[in-house]
Amino acid sequence: MNHDSRRPGGTTDVVSTHAVFGAPCWVSLTTRDQEAAEAFYTAVLGWEWHPALLGDRFRMAVVDETPVAGIAAVATMWQMAVAWTPYFAVRSADEVVSRVQERGGTAAVGPLSFPPGRAALLADRDGATFGIWEGELVANWGKWRRAAPTFIRLHTRDAFDAAIFYGEILDWASDRPGCCEVRYEGGEVVLRSEGDIVARIGSGALDAAPDPTIRPHWQVHFAVSDVGACARAAEQHGGSVLSKGGTEAVLRDPDGARFTVTARRAH
């Protein structure tokens, strides 16, 4: 999504979802308390904050001049869950929403107009929440992609079934030039865009599990240099550590949103 209010001179940096359709293009946190969220993620991940084009309730996180993620303080206003959500680039938000509903998914919010584009929040037929964005991407989006500050993984009931669902709604592995490629590698479905791995889908989640981390969901990963330091900072600033290994930790912020920090490496 285009959260950035600043664009470099000229228009050569502008990338639209028509050029990268089907690929993950952004991640955004829906929260209740913008100031508290900014303070927490600054302490844990070292983020700086820029104003956003979408209004006072929206902010963009930046690291070393690279856009990383967005925050939208609209959970209460829109009666939405506090959560990190990945967004996929689409050519037509209306068309994708229709496809989702036809295939047993849910349209939770939108499409809504957020100039210079449109967004919708959806859920697949197993309940995993994701977003779509039609329009211009964030300024310096190419730099964001090359830096790979984020990565997404779908934990779902059946990876093959999920790949079919998302493939049909997002034109993965279609005959359209520039579409994402889908392959089965190492026990997972792997999504590639322009040759780069941009998402993974794995089986094993349980539909009715009482623990939300076991139910189908998209997990947002942030690449960091020190997983242990991030986990300690999360606990020191009102969050919690849900699980921790040598190269990865699942954390929860003070408002309840879950995310993963992963040791920086090639995916």
Side-chain angles (χ1 to χ4, degrees):
M1 297 177 67
N2 189 344
H3 289 294
D4 199 358
S5 61
R6 306 168 306 137
R7 282 198 176 272
T11 60
T12 57
D13 190 58
V14 176
V15 178
S16 85
T17 56
H18 286 262
V20 294
F21 68 93
C25 64
W26 195 240
V27 294
S28 184
L29 172 67
T30 304
T31 189
R32 289 182 285 253
D33 190 329
Q34 180 177 305
E35 291 185 3
E38 289 183 17
F40 175 82
Y41 287 98
T42 295
V44 176
L45 297 174
W47 290 351
E48 298 177 356
W49 299 95
H50 287 180
L53 187 65
L54 301 182
D56 293 340
R57 293 178 180 271
F58 298 84
R59 299 275 280 172
M60 186 177 71
V62 174
V63 174
D64 296 330
E65 298 303 316
T66 300
V68 177
I71 284 186
V74 296
T76 302
M77 180 175 64
W78 289 353
Q79 296 183 335
M80 295 169 59
V82 173
W84 278 102
T85 303
Y87 282 77
F88 293 86
V90 300
R91 296 186 178 190
S92 169
D94 290 326
E95 183 176 339
V96 171
V97 168
S98 294
R99 291 180 181 180
V100 167
Q101 293 173 322
E102 289 168 358
R103 289 159 178 80
T106 304
V109 178
L112 299 176
S113 293
F114 292 105
R118 303 175 73 224
L121 189 66
L122 311 169
D124 65 26
R125 50 192 171 214
D126 284 324
T129 301
F130 64 101
I132 57 171
W133 173 254
E134 171 197 350
E136 293 180 12
L137 299 178
V138 65
N140 294 324
W141 180 83
K143 186 176 181 181
W144 173 81
R145 177 168 175 164
R146 290 190 299 272
T150 65
F151 183 75
I152 61 172
R153 187 187 302 269
L154 176 61
H155 300 267
T156 191
R157 173 185 54 82
D158 184 325
F160 286 103
D161 183 69
I164 292 171
F165 174 85
Y166 286 96
E168 290 178 343
I169 67 169
L170 298 173
D171 287 318
W172 294 351
S174 67
D175 57 0
R176 290 189 174 184
C179 70
C180 293
E181 299 177 355
V182 180
R183 295 183 181 178
Y184 186 71
E185 302 175 11
E188 293 182 312
V189 174
V190 176
L191 181 70
R192 281 185 169 85
S193 176
E194 299 180 0
D196 297 325
I197 296 176
V198 293
R200 295 181 183 271
I201 301 175
S203 301
L206 303 176
D207 290 345
D211 184 347
T213 64
I214 300 175
R215 295 198 295 267
H217 67 283
W218 280 99
Q219 187 76 7
V220 176
H221 296 239
F222 295 104
V224 300
S225 57
D226 191 333
V227 170
C230 291
R232 291 190 294 273
E235 292 181 317
Q236 292 167 0
H237 291 83
S240 57
V241 178
L242 301 181
S243 65
K244 183 175 177 297
T247 61
E248 192 169 279
V250 180
L251 309 178
R252 183 164 53 203
D253 71 18
D255 209 12
R258 301 184 304 276
F259 63 101
T260 299
V261 291
T262 304
R264 196 178 302 278
R265 65 184 187 276
H267 294 286

